[in-house]
Amino acid sequence: MRWVTYASVNGDRVGILNRDRIHALPAGESLLGLLSAGTLAEAGARALAEPAEIVPLSAATLRAPLPEPPSMRDCLCFLDHMRNCLRAGGGSGELDDVWYQIPAFYFAAPSSVIGPHDDVHIAPGSAWFDFELEIAAVIGEGGRDLSPEEAERHIAGYMIYCDWSARDLQLLEGQLKIGQAKGKDCATTLGPWLVTPDELNLPLRVEAKVNGRLIGSGSTAAMDWSFGEAISYASRGVDLRPGDVVASGTVPGCCLIEHLSLADPSTFPGWLHDGDVVTLSVTGLGEVRQAVRASAPPLPLEARPRPDAKPRPQRVNRARAAVPYTRGLHEVGDRVWAWLLPDGGYGMSNAGLVAGHGASLLVDTLYDLPLTTEMLAAMSGITAANPLTHAVLTHANGDHTHGGQLLGQDVRVVAAEGTAREMRTEIPPEMTRMLQVADLGPVMSPYLRERFAAFDFSGITLRTPDETFQGRLTLDVGGREVHVFDLGPAHTEADSVVHVPDAGVLFAGDLLFIGCTPIVWAGPIAGWIDACDRMLALDPAVVVPGHGPVTDQDGIRDVRGYLSYVSEQAEAAHAKGLDFKEAAFGIDLGEYATWLDAERVVVNLYQRYRELDPGRPAVDRIPLMALMAEWAARR
């Protein structure tokens, strides 16, 4: 028998699915009530012989067969799922012995149950939303201390179970080591119907798709722990009740996280976004199909202070400002504006707007969607009369590109070829969330969380350029000539500046950090110094940096001086036989010591060492970030 619960004008009804029609029991009956009374088979026969009503399946709104079960235990019966998850996190996939000794499970929230076609809302605050295709067994006759063989006989039926998971919240909460919490709490799908064991031929084949694209498939034949064993373990010293749900855990491959590769993130299908449609099917159990919807952001909670924490010095950008260095839109030239985000540290980047007659150009977006929304709203008084026609991305880093999806399709996004190439190979935007939630050690985790706490990396879909150029590009913005020059590689593979000659304004992107320390991710340093000289040759009156307050040509000279100084210090240390870490931790930064994020000198010295000794082994970004965190902790 295939049991369903469906919505009616008189509340939920329960019935038997007979081909494509539902043979209903009288109002007031429920599947849980039938299970508790032990009358499931008799009630099914009655519904088929004398239905209270017959409803076409196509006209019914299906609810979960058990809209609120007494309890839900989600097990991990497929060990390959756990092995794949460990590999996705960069591990070997080897499991501890305890996984082979007992079938693991956690309790899920019965109040989170939704139906097989209901929309599912992303867990508030999550940027890594995922599904997990599982099979659930439902307890018919209750029992305690059951053997595996007895437990099998206590199963009333099976249904599809989807464990919706917020992987980033799960990663953060896992560090508490007390079990699952909000990472597994937002929704659980049950349905579309409960199928009694006599109707099924084991093993069951399963398939998971997102927007019609196959994500994974598999079979219950791969279970390491059987339902009988999992239920037996759950019943030890505990009364299992009719209607209790015991889920199998994820069929290997039938979720997104198992397909994540930190070594090659470009192969990842991506986390779930608003509007995605997830379809899960199991032979004999039917199909659930659900649309993913965005949620409102969570209400914030203030962190508790650590009693042993040392007071952190207040971050102040001490650089001279040509215009007030305050958050918001500032006119810096004739119909030219800068959007400023103090204090200029990680992710706190600047952008710009150039207006012509009936058209305007945006220079860069911001690190997340809320920040970009705020900026575009502030610019709307200008862009209403002069609609955005172009947006120039100065380089590939997310704090200058992540907001691109908020631009209209009639806005032409322009970037250097190297920027477009680097955007395609960068880690997906939402993976930046790792900086906020991953356990990267007692020094690095606090360092990253402090610097990246302000950003919301959820819902971001990277918009790549519509047009690319090499070297130089001239744009007409409502009759106004704007020049774009690629002066990289330096900070990144390509670093563009936007020059508005009739206003004497230069948007320098991340070739300029004012009052905060530059970071040489690509280099060479000599190329960056040359880029400073080329910017000076443009003779701008006003210079808007990628980070920090608006400046003038002296600001360009300050950055040039820093790069020259660091290069000289690296060469001297290299000549003495010091490795780059010894050089970085022993450097006297002199007048540059007060610049924010001075620890970036670690990366800058490493880059110069690589230039002096090209054969030395490369160091990945994560170890370099760890060294920066250590450098900052020592100061």
Side-chain angles (χ1 to χ4, degrees):
M1 295 179 180
R2 292 181 294 169
W3 285 94
V4 299
T5 299
Y6 66 98
S8 76
V9 293
N10 298 315
D12 289 349
R13 298 285 294 269
V14 64
I16 292 285
L17 184 61
N18 184 15
R19 295 188 175 89
D20 59 353
R21 294 181 178 273
I22 299 171
H23 289 235
L25 289 171
E29 301 266 21
S30 72
L31 190 54
L32 182 57
L34 298 175
L35 290 169
S36 299
T39 58
L40 195 65
E42 295 89 336
R46 177 161 43 94
L48 291 172
E50 300 176 359
E53 69 174 7
I54 297 178
V55 178
L57 178 62
S58 60
T61 300
L62 294 184
R63 303 262 280 139
L66 289 164
E68 192 164 339
S71 74
M72 296 196 301
R73 292 170 173 85
D74 196 356
C75 304
L76 205 151
C77 296
F78 297 89
L79 295 184
D80 269 345
H81 167 65
M82 191 62 195
R83 294 184 185 104
N84 292 341
C85 289
L86 292 175
R87 293 187 189 102
S92 66
E94 183 177 346
L95 298 178
D96 293 334
D97 287 345
V98 68
W99 290 97
Y100 302 96
Q101 296 168 5
I102 54 175
F105 74 84
Y106 69 90
F107 282 96
S111 61
S112 73
V113 169
I114 58 176
H117 304 124
D118 292 343
D119 288 351
V120 56
H121 290 266
I122 295 171
S126 175
W128 298 356
F129 199 53
D130 197 358
F131 67 89
E132 298 190 62
L133 171 53
E134 310 184 20
I135 294 94
V138 175
I139 300 298
E141 180 187 355
R144 171 191 283 250
D145 295 324
L146 302 173
S147 70
E149 294 75 22
E150 291 171 325
E152 293 280 357
R153 295 194 292 270
H154 283 246
I155 297 173
Y158 300 88
M159 56 188 168
I160 296 174
Y161 182 108
C162 183
D163 169 27
W164 299 94
S165 301
R167 298 299 188 185
D168 45 353
L169 303 183
Q170 189 182 6
L171 179 60
L172 181 63
E173 293 168 339
Q175 295 162 46
L176 298 173
K177 296 180 173 62
I178 58 171
Q180 305 289 349
K182 300 308 294 183
K184 294 282 191 177
D185 203 31
C186 70
T188 305
T189 300
L190 301 180
W193 33 74
L194 177 74
V195 182
T196 54
D198 57 291
E199 290 242 351
L200 292 175
N201 294 314
L202 301 178
L204 306 179
R205 293 290 305 171
V206 311
E207 192 172 79
K209 295 180 179 180
V210 176
N211 300 327
R213 174 187 177 186
L214 181 66
I215 300 298
S217 61
S219 167
T220 57
M223 292 176 75
D224 296 277
W225 295 99
S226 70
F227 274 113
E229 290 169 321
I231 294 169
S232 172
Y233 181 67
S235 75
R236 290 182 182 179
V238 174
D239 288 316
L240 299 184
R241 295 173 293 178
D244 282 350
V245 173
V246 179
S248 66
T250 309
V251 180
C254 294
C255 62
L256 294 172
I257 193 171
E258 291 187 42
H259 301 278
L260 176 65
S261 169
L262 296 180
D264 187 7
S266 64
T267 63
F268 183 53
W271 303 111
L272 296 174
H273 292 84
D274 181 52
D276 286 339
V277 176
V278 177
T279 305
L280 309 178
S281 58
V282 180
T283 303
L285 297 184
E287 175 182 285
V288 302
R289 187 176 188 273
Q290 298 176 271
V292 176
R293 300 299 178 203
S295 294
L299 297 174
L301 295 175
E302 185 176 348
R304 304 296 90 158
R306 286 184 61 101
D308 58 345
K310 296 179 181 178
R312 293 189 176 275
Q314 185 177 3
R315 287 174 60 90
V316 178
N317 191 313
R318 305 179 187 280
R320 180 180 61 85
V323 302
Y325 189 35
T326 56
R327 181 178 182 135
L329 198 61
H330 299 262
E331 190 162 10
V332 294
D334 179 25
R335 296 169 61 78
V336 181
W337 294 265
W339 177 265
L340 305 179
L341 273 183
D343 54 23
Y346 285 99
M348 305 303 287
S349 57
N350 301 328
L353 181 68
V354 181
H357 295 292
S360 59
L361 175 147
L362 181 69
V363 181
D364 284 335
T365 66
L366 301 176
Y367 210 5
D368 64 21
L369 302 185
L371 284 173
T372 305
T373 297
E374 176 192 359
M375 177 182 72
L376 294 176
M379 293 175 172
S380 62
I382 303 162
T383 56
N386 306 283
L388 282 173
T389 56
H390 293 83
V392 175
L393 304 180
T394 59
H395 62 291
N397 286 173
D399 53 344
H400 297 258
T401 62
H402 279 179
Q405 74 193 75
L406 298 178
L407 303 177
Q409 291 304 308
D410 52 344
V411 178
R412 190 158 185 81
V413 178
V414 179
E417 283 189 5
T419 295
R421 182 167 52 250
E422 197 167 9
M423 287 177 69
R424 289 192 295 268
T425 58
E426 286 264 296
I427 64 171
E430 287 135 327
M431 290 309 297
T432 314
R433 173 82 162 130
M434 182 176 66
L435 305 177
Q436 299 171 323
V437 298
D439 183 3
L440 298 171
V443 176
M444 190 173 178
S445 287
Y447 171 81
L448 293 175
R449 290 176 188 177
E450 178 186 4
R451 282 156 175 77
F452 292 93
F455 308 108
D456 176 2
F457 297 115
S458 63
I460 300 171
T461 301
L462 194 62
R463 180 171 174 180
T464 53
D466 303 305
E467 177 183 347
T468 61
F469 71 95
Q470 289 182 314
R472 172 176 176 165
L473 177 69
T474 299
L475 296 172
D476 184 313
V477 182
R480 194 170 195 180
E481 195 171 89
V482 175
H483 300 153
V484 187
F485 302 93
D486 176 11
L487 304 184
H491 171 63
T492 60
E493 182 179 337
D495 294 286
S496 298
V497 299
V498 178
H499 186 218
V500 190
D502 65 5
V505 177
L506 177 70
F507 291 94
D510 277 9
L511 287 173
L512 285 190
F513 291 72
I514 301 301
C516 39
T517 306
I519 187 164
V520 189
W521 285 124
I525 292 179
W528 197 331
I529 292 171
D530 179 65
C532 289
D533 291 336
R534 294 175 67 184
M535 286 190 287
L536 288 169
L538 296 173
D539 195 29
V542 177
V543 181
V544 181
H547 297 259
V550 175
T551 186
D552 53 23
Q553 294 185 34
D554 284 342
I556 302 175
R557 295 187 183 98
D558 288 342
V559 172
R560 188 189 192 283
Y562 171 86
L563 295 167
S564 297
Y565 178 80
V566 167
S567 190
E568 291 165 2
Q569 293 293 307
E571 290 161 12
H574 185 269
K576 292 178 182 177
L578 301 177
D579 64 32
F580 86 90
K581 181 178 177 181
E582 291 173 317
F585 281 76
I587 193 171
D588 177 3
L589 285 173
E591 64 182 290
Y592 308 109
T594 60
W595 287 12
L596 295 178
D597 303 316
E599 66 274 7
R600 292 173 178 172
V601 71
V602 170
V603 175
N604 300 335
L605 281 168
Y606 163 75
Q607 177 60 39
R608 185 62 186 132
Y609 263 63
R610 287 274 292 165
E611 295 166 6
L612 293 169
D613 186 6
R616 69 184 305 109
V619 179
D620 291 335
R621 282 196 181 185
I622 293 298
L624 287 173
M625 295 288 281
L627 287 174
M628 284 195 286
E630 182 183 348
W631 194 101
R634 292 189 185 184
R635 298 291 167 135

